[in-house]
């Protein structure tokens, strides 16, 4: 209550601006005053405060990721949360995605401070690792690349001083994923090649599988669907050895997509249907199920079963919309528009095409 009264007083004095509920921007004078006060504190007090701030965003991001996708297992923290830290709580996936958009500018600054001060590289690894998939789903690839590449020097320095090299692999994988999405193919392959080497050297099977999945994405974007299928098959096998049935099933679905893109429709359909059955068995309600359903629809479309394809696309659109997967949703809507047009449902096709174009424009 005392904090709220102080915030109200500062807002009334125009030294704070509440830009969103419980979100404040400081006036330049107040910021400079706070910075001057901080310089008067002992170095260990300032660093302790910085570490608490970093922990707040690390554990908030991990909570947000878990709220968005409770089926996924995440990196474990190397240490417990520091005393005095209270992470933010979100109720569902909509709030989770909104939190990301609100907090990104602050998170970027937190990473810059940590790297400049040479503190908490293990925590920064956890932060970027928790954000990677959510930023990817929202098409925030420029921001993801910037965060990962900004964090790399600090993590490299930590590894050179005896830190865990697995964290460096996380940074390279996140940077490679973003670069691949942005069409920076050489940068993507360089980052992902380094990430794969680090994962294999440290026997990190989950990290190896994730990197192989990202390499498949880059390969198919470059037109090498057979190469993408080979990466996806390896990833599925690695995830199975790691005891991760969700990711094994998911990458089997991607294998089916790449096979179909390479013209092997029947093999692709078999792998996608097997993947969907496995996902529904081991992770009912899994958020990325919609991608597999959309692929099954696309294969039926290529085989001439337009009615069946349209049904799958409609189901996929519903699931991808709920998941907040904007790239996947735009793609599924585009295919749904084609299927509806082929069925003579011109107005429905137009609506789907307009929505797809709107999302693609948003993604840039």
């Amino acid at each position: 209550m005392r904090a709220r009264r102080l915030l109200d007083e500062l807002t009334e004095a125009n030294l704070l601006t509440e830009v969103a509920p419980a979100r404040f921007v400081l006036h330049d004078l107040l910021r400079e005053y706070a910075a001057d006060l901080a310089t008067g504190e002992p170095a260990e007090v300032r660093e302790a405060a910085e570490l608490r701030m970093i922990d707040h965003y690390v554990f908030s991001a991990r909570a947000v990721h878990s709220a968005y996708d409770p089926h996924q297992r995440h990196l474990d923290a190397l240490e417990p949360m520091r005393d005095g830290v209270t992470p933010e709580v979100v109720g569902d996936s909509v709030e989770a995605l909104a939190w990301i958009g609100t907090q990104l500018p602050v998170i970027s600054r937190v990473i810059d401070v940590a790297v400049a001060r040479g503190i908490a590289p293990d925590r920064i690894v956890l932060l970027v690792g928790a954000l990677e998939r959510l930023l990817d789903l929202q098409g925030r690839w420029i921001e993801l690349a910037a965060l990962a590449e900004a964090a790399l020097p600090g993590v490299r320095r930590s590894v050179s001083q005896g830190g865990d090299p697995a964290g460096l692999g996380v940074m390279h994988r996140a940077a490679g994923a973003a670069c691949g999405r942005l069409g920076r193919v050489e940068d993507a392959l360089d980052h992902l090649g380094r990430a794969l080497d680090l994962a294999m050297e440290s026997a990190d099977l989950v990290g190896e599988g994730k990197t192989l999945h990202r390499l498949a994405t880059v390969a198919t974007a470059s037109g090498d669907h057979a190469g993408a299928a080979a990466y996806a098959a390896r990833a599925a096998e690695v995830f199975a050895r790691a005891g991760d049935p969700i990711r094994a099933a998911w990458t089997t679905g991607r294998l089916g997509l790449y096979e179909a893109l390479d013209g092997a429709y029947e093999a692709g359909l078999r792998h996608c249907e097997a993947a969907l059955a496995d996902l529904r068995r081991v992770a009912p309600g899994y958020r990325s199920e919609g991608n597999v359903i959309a692929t099954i629809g696309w294969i039926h479309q290529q085989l001439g079963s337009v009615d069946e394809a349209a049904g799958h696309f409609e189901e996929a659109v519903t699931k991808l919309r709920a998941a907040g997967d904007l790239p996947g949703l735009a793609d599924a809507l585009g295919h749904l528009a084609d299927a509806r047009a082929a069925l003579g449902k011109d107005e429905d096709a137009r609506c789907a095409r307009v929505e797809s174009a709107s999302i693609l424009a948003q993604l840039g």
Side-chain angles (χ1 to χ4, degrees):
M1 294 297 293
R2 180 174 181 272
R4 181 72 243 188
R5 285 198 301 273
L6 291 173
L7 288 170
D8 288 342
E9 290 176 11
L10 290 169
T11 301
E12 290 173 7
N14 295 319
L15 292 172
L16 286 180
T17 301
E18 190 167 10
V19 294
R23 301 291 305 167
F24 296 88
V25 173
L26 278 67
H27 189 284
D28 288 345
L29 290 174
L30 186 58
R31 184 180 294 107
E32 290 173 9
Y33 177 63
D36 287 341
L37 288 178
T39 58
E41 297 288 347
E44 62 271 18
V45 173
R46 294 199 305 273
E47 181 168 318
E50 289 169 340
L51 291 171
R52 287 195 301 274
M53 176 186 66
I54 291 168
D55 261 19
H56 169 78
Y57 285 101
V58 170
F59 285 90
S60 293
R62 286 162 56 81
V64 164
H65 197 165
S66 294
Y68 175 81
D69 191 354
H71 289 107
Q72 290 284 9
R73 294 182 298 176
H74 313 304
L75 287 168
D76 293 327
L78 303 182
E79 304 171 24
M81 187 165 54
R82 291 177 173 85
D83 290 340
V85 175
T86 303
E88 295 190 46
V89 177
V90 298
D92 55 27
S93 61
V94 174
E95 290 182 16
L97 295 175
W99 184 89
I100 295 292
T102 301
Q103 300 293 343
L104 263 182
V106 184
I107 290 170
S108 177
R109 181 59 182 154
V110 165
I111 290 175
D112 289 342
V113 168
V115 173
R117 300 270 289 113
I119 57 176
D122 57 327
R123 297 299 222 243
I124 298 305
V125 168
L126 291 171
L127 180 56
V128 175
L131 293 173
E132 178 187 343
R133 183 161 178 256
L134 295 176
L135 292 175
D136 186 29
L137 287 172
Q138 291 188 298
R140 294 178 177 270
W141 304 310
I142 293 174
E143 293 94 330
L144 177 57
L147 291 180
E149 291 175 336
L152 267 169
V155 180
R156 281 200 194 100
R157 184 167 58 240
S158 171
V159 171
S160 71
Q161 296 169 353
D164 185 2
L168 187 56
V170 173
M171 292 298 100
H172 279 300
R173 187 175 65 247
C179 290
R181 292 285 203 176
L182 293 168
R184 294 166 49 188
V185 177
E186 289 186 9
D187 290 337
L189 293 175
D190 178 60
H191 282 301
L192 292 173
R194 292 171 187 267
L196 186 61
D197 289 343
L198 287 163
M200 295 178 72
E201 288 168 8
S202 60
D204 176 7
L205 291 176
V206 172
E208 181 182 347
K210 287 181 177 180
T211 306
L212 288 167
H213 161 62
R214 292 300 190 182
L215 283 165
T217 302
V218 174
T220 201
S222 302
D224 182 11
H225 306 309
Y231 280 129
R234 283 178 61 192
E237 185 272 331
V238 169
F239 283 134
R241 281 195 286 124
D244 191 335
I246 297 177
R247 290 194 176 97
W250 162 245
T251 48
T252 297
R254 303 309 286 175
L255 167 60
L257 169 63
Y258 304 139
E259 288 173 326
L261 287 169
D262 204 37
Y265 298 125
E266 297 295 345
L269 185 59
R270 284 196 303 274
H271 278 124
C272 285
E273 289 177 339
L276 185 59
D278 286 345
L279 283 173
R280 287 175 170 171
R281 176 176 53 83
V282 300
Y286 182 58
R287 291 198 172 279
S288 292
E289 185 182 295
N291 298 102
V292 183
I293 296 169
T295 300
I296 292 172
W298 182 80
I299 294 173
H300 281 297
Q301 191 175 41
Q302 304 313 301
L303 294 173
S305 302
V306 182
D307 273 321
E308 193 164 358
H312 281 97
F313 289 138
E314 287 168 359
E315 183 181 4
V317 163
T318 299
K319 290 182 177 293
L320 292 166
R321 195 191 309 281
D325 182 346
L326 296 183
L329 178 58
D331 187 60
L333 282 165
H335 291 306
L336 176 59
D338 292 339
R340 285 173 169 171
L343 294 169
K345 300 178 179 179
D346 294 336
E347 180 59 24
D348 290 342
R350 187 192 67 80
C351 291
R353 192 166 287 115
V354 166
E355 185 178 358
S356 176
S358 175
I359 294 170
L360 290 173
Q362 178 183 339
L363 293 173

